[in-house]
Amino acid sequence: MLNLDTKMKLDFVCISDNMDMGTADSLRHIHQKIKTDVLVLSCDLITDVDLYKVVDLFRTHDASLSMLMKKAHEPTEGVPGQKGKKKPVEQRDFIGVDDTGKRLLFMANEADLDEELVIKRSILQKHPRMHIRTGLMDAHLYCLKKYVVDFLVENRTITSLRSELIPHLVRKQFSSPASLQQGLDNKEEDQKKKEQASLDIYSFIKEDNSLLKPAPDNSCWNDQRGDMNETLHEGKVRCYVHIMKEGLCYRVNTLGLYIEANRQVPKLLLNLGLEESLVHGSAQITDRGMIGSDSIIGSSTQIGEKTSIKHSIIGSMCTIKDRVKITNCIIMNSVTIEEGCCLQGSVICHNAVIEKGADIKDCLIGSDQRLEAKAKHVNEVIVGTEQLMEI
Amino acid sequence: MPAILAVVKRLPEHVQVDDPAAQRKLAKKLERQQVPLRQDYGTKVNLFSHLHQYSRKKPLTQQMSIPSTVIHPAVMRLGLQYSQGIINGSNARCIALLEVFKQLIRDYSTPPNEELSRDLVAKLKPHISFLNQCRPLSASMGNAIKFLKKEISCLPDTLREDEAKEKLQDVIDKYLREKIVLAAEAISRSAFEKINDHDVILVYGCRSLGVLGRARSRGRRPVQGRSWCDRACVSPQVSKVLLGAHALLANGSVMSRVGTSQIALVSKAYNVPVLVCCETYKFCERVQTDSFVSNELDDPDDLIVLRKGQAQLGGWAENKSLRLLNLVYDVTPPDLVDLVITDLGMIPCTSVPVVLRVKNVDQ
């Protein structure tokens, strides 16, 4: 539901299909448009987080990075098309935060670790207590300083924000700038290190951050209750995270999460007490009573007699004939469902047609597909050949 | 008989929180400036219900758009750092404020048909209101703002914009250097002269590390003050007390961190000399005789302390007869203070009005 009162000037930049761009590459592509600190969002994020909480961490601590995370959901129901109770291979993320739960100290993925978790001594010296958490989902919402974008532009080896840039920044908090390490090396190594030094993020941090300038003298003026102690005495790279406790936060980048998010949204809308009802005004429904209270019906959709719809989301311009039973489904726009069908736990994409009497359970029907009459499908994925996707 | 014209000074808004008319006026002013009004939090102790009480968990940014169209990002950051208690202490707050003003001036450009000397002051007003809403301005910040506004309005019209901006940057740098940094240097040197061998010095609210550093190097023992109970126990052994000040008022009273007046009282009882270190830029024309009328209430939740895993006052808001009071300042009367060490030398408390008069004449 787009709140049409928000005034935002949108500037679309398209990336052609044949360019294989990661998230960092995309940011690099538009870096000329970025003149200040930037908020990077993934378009598959659905959340009701108070954005000021993430941005305030970024502002208050003059952080290089501030991000959003939430405890990951266990999917409550099975995913259509998934054969058996196969649990996806867990690639756990280990996230280390300090006592306040806001400062990000450590981040590593299980795939990058051998058997042990290695924590640098410099981290523990400054933060003796660290809480390590797994099972946190990264919302892919990042506040980045301008100099991080500049660093990314120069450092072309980084292709992905999440898997490369963010862990790099988290590690850099506790390592000294490369230039300081040069001291005793011999000449050949000096050359190599000089090239590397120019790619070190510290060289991108502008020196005109005047709050830090009078710092050594300033430490005597400060009542060192707050975090400024850190800001003054620690390195210049600081990473913070806001971990949501309650509320909605879904990254719908897998089918399972997409379905889960769809299930949760009607409840959320009811809680928000929006004036628009879940059933659109232009929908023509013969038997209102058979529509469940948490189902959403889109505009111009026609629903026939004796058709029951429970816990489902139906898009706009659909035609659903009589005596159809729809439970726990997600039906997109312009779908036609003929009489007598029974659909359960399925996802039907745009423009699909399901002929009379079909019985569909836990399936994924791709767009433009046509299912013949009295078809029976359980736990299948029916898509066109050009629409193959990962579940 | 000559008629005596009485000048009625209006009470500032921040001590009239329980007066609805004053609050309405404030709300109107903030609305005009497009700065949100920060809501008070929690029930207050009756004696202090005329003061604001804010919660750190409800920052002003909750009501503002991201990014803000009205407030400069550097000022947003500063306001957050004040309200979250990250920048604390009157010198630190003043230094940070002036640095941010320098940035504001750098980023400012005079609109067409406007004079920099008038327009810049007008542009600063919403930012100052915003900072005030984040945390009430300290006396040092107030003086610095007064100084800056005067400098801006006195700019000659003949200057080009970039020349004017550069002049302002220089003026601010000079103020920072002379009134704060060098003043601290001067104070620590003077204080050092007053410290003798085998002295036991009690320090409270005074962060002049220069003094402590030198004291340590000559084998003297400074004792850091934390709570007044410690002071009562330690006093028989203490030979001198060094206090810091947030502001020095026109009647010679010292406004400082809460607990200062208790230490001064106890020291007087034991006949221990009390020395106050204060830069002249913190001298105020205000007069205060008590700690009630003009003060600041900190977040009451700060008093919820974890002891053995239990938050002792955790549910204070539910208990209707329980109020928490977290005062920030208190006022020490001049007769409890023996000497004030300033960058102009060592003066008695009663000489503060003289210094103020001389400062005004100079300007």
Side-chain angles (χ1 to χ4, degrees):
Chain A
M1 304 230 171
L2 192 65
N3 181 359
L4 294 166
D5 290 335
T6 7
K7 295 189 212 20
M8 244 198 301
K9 214 175 98 184
L10 294 172
D11 185 0
F12 286 93
V13 176
C14 301
I15 300 176
S16 62
D17 275 338
N18 51 12
M19 294 163 82
D20 185 17
M21 280 192 158
T23 41
D25 296 319
S26 316
L27 205 57
R28 213 175 278 130
H29 189 68
I30 52 162
H31 81 272
Q32 272 138 353
K33 295 187 194 260
I34 299 176
K35 310 254 190 288
T36 55
D37 302 338
V38 64
L39 177 70
V40 179
L41 282 187
S42 167
C43 57
D44 52 15
L45 176 66
I46 300 176
T47 180
D48 66 348
V49 72
D50 292 316
L51 199 55
Y52 77 86
K53 288 189 181 147
V54 181
V55 180
D56 274 357
L57 277 177
F58 182 72
R59 287 172 176 144
T60 317
H61 303 276
D62 203 22
S64 320
L65 158 75
S66 137
M67 55 193 283
L68 175 67
M69 286 192 152
K70 183 157 199 261
K71 203 157 153 49
H73 298 271
E74 284 299 324
T76 46
E77 293 165 43
V79 177
Q82 220 177 37
K83 309 291 181 208
K85 261 291 190 174
K86 168 186 82 165
K87 253 209 153 184
V89 174
E90 290 279 4
Q91 294 261 284
R92 284 180 300 177
D93 272 322
F94 291 93
I95 312 284
V97 290
D98 74 344
D99 247 347
T100 62
K102 303 260 175 225
R103 179 80 193 263
L104 193 50
L105 301 175
F106 181 80
M107 179 187 280
N109 189 282
E110 203 170 344
D112 300 326
L113 304 170
D114 283 327
E115 282 165 4
E116 309 158 325
L117 211 70
V118 177
I119 299 177
K120 288 170 80 162
R121 199 192 311 177
S122 50
I123 307 179
L124 289 176
Q125 270 172 348
K126 293 186 184 130
H127 299 271
R129 290 192 72 173
M130 174 156 63
H131 301 263
I132 306 236
R133 299 181 65 161
T134 55
L136 279 180
M137 176 195 69
D138 181 354
H140 209 285
L141 187 150
Y142 309 120
C143 277
L144 296 171
K145 271 248 168 22
K146 169 111 187 0
Y147 62 72
V148 176
V149 180
D150 294 338
F151 167 71
L152 203 59
V153 168
E154 293 299 316
N155 198 340
R156 307 198 87 88
T157 53
I158 296 184
T159 50
S160 157
L161 286 180
R162 174 63 181 88
S163 47
E164 291 172 66
L165 179 67
I166 308 294
H168 178 82
L169 284 176
V170 175
R171 272 197 304 273
K172 262 302 180 186
Q173 290 180 102
F174 300 100
S175 56
S176 35
S179 51
L180 292 182
Q181 292 161 359
Q182 263 187 333
L184 311 159
D185 292 333
N186 58 27
K187 274 215 168 146
E188 294 156 23
E189 290 200 24
D190 253 5
Q191 278 295 352
K192 247 193 276 169
K193 287 241 167 115
K194 273 213 181 72
E195 287 160 12
Q196 282 175 7
S198 62
L199 291 180
D200 182 25
I201 191 161
Y202 282 97
S203 53
F204 288 91
I205 302 177
K206 287 211 190 71
E207 283 301 330
D208 70 353
N209 194 346
S210 42
L211 255 185
L212 294 177
K213 238 197 305 184
D217 311 308
N218 238 356
S219 57
C220 59
W221 304 134
N222 260 315
D223 184 357
Q224 279 158 2
R225 177 223 331 223
D227 248 324
M228 200 60 172
N229 195 8
E230 260 182 37
T231 319
L232 294 175
H233 298 298
E234 275 201 23
K236 296 180 190 168
V237 178
R238 286 176 290 278
C239 300
Y240 284 84
V241 61
H242 174 66
I243 301 180
M244 271 177 89
K245 297 202 174 62
E246 313 156 319
L248 198 72
C249 183
Y250 288 101
R251 246 202 99 195
V252 291
N253 54 357
T254 66
L255 184 59
L257 285 171
Y258 175 74
I259 293 173
E260 181 72 30
N262 271 297
R263 300 250 156 77
Q264 298 296 324
V265 164
K267 291 195 204 112
L268 174 79
L269 292 178
L270 284 173
N271 282 341
L272 286 179
L274 285 177
E275 285 116 42
E276 304 171 31
S277 69
L278 297 177
V279 176
H280 199 275
S282 61
Q284 293 158 9
I285 303 174
T286 330
D287 281 331
R288 256 307 164 85
M290 299 201 76
I291 313 289
S293 53
D294 58 352
S295 295
I296 296 183
I297 316 281
S299 59
S300 311
T301 291
Q302 293 172 327
I303 301 187
E305 280 179 28
K306 297 209 172 70
T307 295
S308 87
I309 299 182
K310 292 196 174 48
H311 310 301
S312 296
I313 298 183
I314 314 229
S316 29
M317 305 211 279
C318 290
T319 308
I320 303 180
K321 297 275 166 60
D322 309 332
R323 286 170 283 119
V324 174
K325 271 175 70 171
I326 300 180
T327 321
N328 266 334
C329 288
I330 298 170
I331 298 178
M332 300 196 191
N333 302 338
S334 306
V335 167
T336 306
I337 302 181
E338 302 287 349
E339 290 95 344
C341 287
C342 178
L343 293 108
Q344 264 188 64
S346 300
V347 178
I348 321 279
C349 300
H350 301 290
N351 293 319
V353 175
I354 304 192
E355 298 287 356
K356 296 187 199 175
D359 188 355
I360 314 286
K361 190 167 175 336
D362 294 334
C363 290
L364 170 64
I365 315 289
S367 27
D368 302 311
Q369 292 302 305
R370 191 182 201 85
L371 289 183
E372 67 277 7
K374 299 223 198 273
K376 251 186 147 55
H377 296 284
V378 177
N379 212 1
E380 284 178 42
V381 175
I382 301 169
V383 292
T385 39
E386 65 284 353
Q387 291 167 359
L388 290 171
M389 58 169 134
E390 281 173 42
I391 292 178
Chain B
M1 274 277 251
I4 299 170
L5 194 68
V7 175
V8 176
K9 277 208 136 167
R10 275 174 305 170
L11 274 176
E13 171 279 327
H14 68 266
V15 300
Q16 284 190 291
V17 176
D18 51 355
D19 177 4
Q23 291 309 300
R24 269 199 300 272
K25 219 165 145 211
L26 170 72
K28 271 206 206 107
K29 170 178 136 195
L30 289 179
E31 207 181 333
R32 235 185 9 246
Q33 294 174 336
Q34 293 178 286
V35 174
L37 175 69
R38 196 166 180 197
Q39 296 300 325
D40 278 16
Y41 164 76
T43 34
K44 300 179 216 170
V45 171
N46 276 337
L47 264 177
F48 294 93
S49 56
H50 60 282
L51 298 171
H52 283 295
Q53 184 171 277
Y54 298 129
S55 164
R56 215 156 272 141
K57 294 202 196 80
K58 300 211 175 82
L60 204 50
T61 45
Q62 211 170 355
Q63 305 165 49
M64 300 179 84
S65 66
I66 296 167
S68 167
T69 41
V70 179
I71 306 288
H72 190 282
V75 177
M76 290 276 302
R77 187 195 317 153
L78 187 65
L80 275 172
Q81 286 173 330
Y82 284 159
S83 72
Q84 303 297 320
I86 290 183
I87 297 188
N88 240 343
S90 79
N91 279 334
R93 287 167 73 188
C94 189
I95 293 174
L97 180 72
L98 288 172
E99 293 289 344
V100 164
F101 276 160
K102 271 165 64 180
Q103 170 110 28
L104 267 178
I105 293 172
R106 265 199 296 269
D107 293 340
Y108 168 80
S109 50
T110 327
N113 304 328
E114 291 281 357
E115 291 272 349
L116 184 142
S117 52
R118 273 184 285 257
D119 188 62
L120 182 55
V121 176
K123 288 270 157 49
L124 285 179
K125 282 206 178 119
H127 294 100
I128 295 171
S129 295
F130 172 78
L131 290 176
N132 201 16
Q133 287 295 297
C134 287
R135 190 178 163 184
L137 297 180
S138 67
S140 54
M141 289 163 72
N143 286 346
I145 291 173
K146 250 189 256 171
F147 159 79
L148 184 63
K149 280 189 179 166
K150 188 146 177 291
E151 285 295 320
I152 295 175
S153 28
C154 289
L155 280 176
D157 288 338
T158 49
L159 283 180
R160 280 197 326 266
E161 181 177 314
D162 50 328
E163 283 175 347
K165 292 204 306 198
E166 213 186 298
K167 180 161 191 287
L168 285 176
Q169 307 276 350
D170 288 339
V171 145
I172 294 178
D173 277 333
K174 186 160 172 266
Y175 189 88
L176 273 172
R177 202 173 51 244
E178 285 177 14
K179 306 274 184 196
I180 305 180
V181 180
L182 289 178
E185 212 17 55
I187 289 174
S188 68
R189 282 204 201 155
S190 310
F192 182 65
E193 286 167 33
K194 284 289 171 188
I195 299 174
N196 302 320
D197 278 334
H198 307 299
D199 265 347
V200 176
I201 305 164
L202 176 66
V203 178
Y204 187 78
C206 180
R207 292 282 171 168
S208 196
L209 281 182
V211 180
L212 290 183
R214 285 177 224 227
R216 276 204 198 94
S217 68
R218 297 245 309 241
R220 293 149 201 181
R221 263 192 308 140
V223 175
Q224 280 284 37
R226 280 278 176 263
S227 81
W228 67 273
C229 311
D230 309 340
R231 302 307 57 69
C233 310
V234 165
S235 272
Q237 302 139 29
V238 169
S239 55
K240 283 198 184 69
V241 172
L242 265 179
L243 299 172
H246 169 84
L248 230 60
L249 306 169
N251 62 340
S253 309
V254 177
M255 183 166 172
S256 185
R257 183 136 54 100
V258 71
T260 311
S261 57
Q262 286 165 329
I263 292 177
L265 195 60
V266 172
S267 307
K268 192 76 177 181
Y270 282 93
N271 237 349
V272 173
V274 172
L275 308 168
V276 170
C277 301
C278 184
E279 296 87 345
T280 47
Y281 87 102
K282 289 187 198 159
F283 285 18
C284 250
E285 298 213 348
R286 266 198 339 243
V287 172
Q288 264 175 255
T289 49
D290 60 63
S291 315
F292 296 95
V293 172
S294 187
N295 208 323
E296 189 185 327
L297 295 177
D298 210 348
D299 190 342
D301 290 339
D302 282 352
L303 296 176
I304 301 175
V305 165
L306 277 174
R307 281 222 177 89
K308 295 182 188 163
Q310 267 198 312
Q312 297 293 318
L313 289 166
W316 74 274
E318 279 103 56
N319 189 336
K320 290 218 167 34
S321 39
L322 183 60
R323 313 277 163 97
L324 293 188
L325 178 67
N326 192 356
L327 271 183
V328 179
Y329 303 118
D330 72 10
V331 172
T332 310
D335 44 344
L336 294 179
V337 176
D338 294 305
L339 193 66
V340 178
I341 305 175
T342 70
D343 40 315
L344 291 179
M346 297 188 255
I347 57 175
C349 261
T350 44
S351 302
V352 172
V354 177
V355 172
L356 282 170
R357 197 169 57 228
V358 168
K359 215 167 42 155
N360 286 337
V361 164
D362 276 344
Q363 287 174 344

